[in-house]
Amino acid sequence: MARLPFNPDRDPAQPSSSSRSRSSPDSRVIRGGAASGTNSRRASGGTSGGGKVLTVSQISHLIKDALAAGLPPKVRVVGEVSNFSERAHWFFSLKDEGGSLRCVCFASAARRVSFPVADGMEVVATGRIDYFDAQGSLQLYVDALEPVGQGALEARYKALCEELRRAGYFDNERKKRLPSMPYRVAVVTSRSGAALQDVINTAGRRWSGCELLLVDVRVQGAAAAPEIAAAIDALSRQGKSLGIDAVILTRGGGSIEDLWAFNERVVADAIFRCALPIVAAIGHETDQTIAELVADVRCSTPTQAAMTLIPDRRTLQQQVTQLADRMTRMLRNRAESSRQRLAALARHAMFRRPERMVDPHREKFARLRERLVSSLPGRVKADADKLAALSRQLQAVGPLNVLQRGYSLTLGPDGKVLRSAGQVSPGVRITSVLADGRVSSEVVDGGEVPPPRTQRKSKSQPRRAADETTLFGDSSAPA
């Protein structure tokens, strides 16, 4: 709404130029001459010659008044986006080969734009043109933006597809499996649509035991998307208590505008969070709505959706018959195989003449026992002879046997064997151990060790017994 400029020279009795302009039947025509003449008269303020000086605010008000009088409240401007800046609000320019227009799109309006805006994109901006006093410039205050070159709906479709794809709405990993034998299926569609009749006919033809629950919603128009989303949410909440196993979301074919309710974000969100598996069949084969992309299974027609979800009774009967025949053959074969195996076991020698299995082992045991008994005396005699030989060897090297051959041991006062004459001195009492007793004596002379003397080994000297060397060590002379 344009504000009336403050004009101290305006005659209250005369109608203002703004009121005249608004009363004009064609508000789109800017009456530059009339407005200029009127304003020039106001600017002169009735003064002649000298020209009245106006303030900037007065000029701004005059410009706003002229814009309000010369432009319609809403304009649609086509141009290329330039210098796009996205902050809390959008600031950009629309330009063509002949000029440029500054634009601002406030955040409340920007949130309604459903496609990404970037430099170079050709758009149609709808809004009002007003004069921005602070910068002294004209601006287009944008209320809506539409892309040019491709349909606005197509652009919204692609933008939402990309957004949902990034959010994982189309991932196969999150999609639920369909029940193999649903007993109750909810059909979300219009009561008056042909799609419902297709589903009913197909379900009745395939399996009449499957119950259909109709959820009547509008499938076209502005109110369709909220109704569809609310129906899916209600089924998700109450599906378990109602015994619903799956949902069919369907409608017949139409243009993209007719099917647009199934491309709305609210429907995609409802399908995404639904706890029940959903089969979607929207439009024809060539149509592919966002609802179908988010659904767990997509079918080209309502009939195919019913065929996909509801099993065929005749096919099930054939499968049951085939499985029964297969199980009968398997059991018969198994029984015949077991019977043949049992008969083979019964014919085995172990069961017919078990003594023939034991006799060979019994004979082997008798032979081994006979060999053990016959070899035992010889083994005992050999061990006894070996023990006697070892005893003789032990007696031959014993010290008592050496003493009996005339040798003796000499013990010092401390009871240790004397191995050198230097270990005693005159007056020390020593003990000589003989084969049959001991003799104590006192050393009268001795205690000195003579220097070593090289002796020629006599050939006639008798060889000492090995036991002497072992027993007395390096004793060159007997004690």
Side-chain angles (χ1 to χ4, degrees), residues 204-287:
R205 186 174 60 254
R206 292 177 66 82
W207 184 32
S208 58
C210 180
E211 184 179 357
L212 298 180
L213 176 64
L214 171 64
V215 182
D216 186 21
V217 295
R218 279 176 282 191
V219 293
Q220 184 174 343
E227 284 191 12
I228 295 171
I232 294 174
D233 287 337
L235 290 173
S236 178
R237 292 192 304 270
Q238 305 175 15
K240 188 174 182 180
S241 60
L242 295 176
I244 297 174
D245 299 314
V247 177
I248 295 179
L249 176 63
T250 184
R251 69 146 284 166
S255 64
I256 186 173
E257 290 81 5
D258 297 337
L259 305 179
W260 190 252
F262 298 91
N263 290 325
E264 295 288 356
R265 176 64 182 265
V266 63
V267 176
D269 290 339
I271 296 174
F272 181 76
R273 60 175 173 260
C274 183
L276 299 172
I278 296 180
V279 179
I282 313 298
H284 300 295
E285 177 67 27
T286 56
D287 303 322

Side-chain angles (χ1 to χ4, degrees), residues 7 11 15 30 88 104 116 129 145 153 185 204 206 220 224 266 312 350 358 411 428 447 470 473:
N7 187 353
D11 185 2
I30 300 177
V104 58
I129 293 183
L145 278 177
L153 293 181
V185 175
R206 292 177 66 82
Q220 184 174 343
V266 63
D312 187 17
M350 182 177 66
V358 178
L411 306 179
V428 174
T470 304

Side-chain angles (χ1 to χ4, degrees), residues 282-345:
I282 313 298
H284 300 295
E285 177 67 27
T286 56
D287 303 322
Q288 190 174 32
T289 63
I290 291 177
E292 293 173 295
L293 297 176
V294 182
D296 300 298
V297 176
R298 175 185 180 265
C299 295
S300 58
T301 61
T303 301
Q304 186 183 7
M307 294 176 63
T308 301
L309 186 58
I310 301 172
D312 187 17
R313 175 178 53 83
R314 288 170 296 185
T315 304
L316 289 178
Q317 288 178 346
Q318 292 176 359
Q319 292 179 355
V320 170
T321 302
Q322 292 174 357
L323 290 175
D325 295 342
R326 184 178 177 185
M327 290 182 63
T328 302
R329 288 195 302 270
M330 290 178 61
L331 290 175
R332 186 180 295 113
N333 295 336
R334 185 73 175 270
E336 180 63 21
S337 175
S338 299
R339 188 187 63 78
Q340 292 177 1
R341 186 178 180 186
L342 180 61
L345 291 174

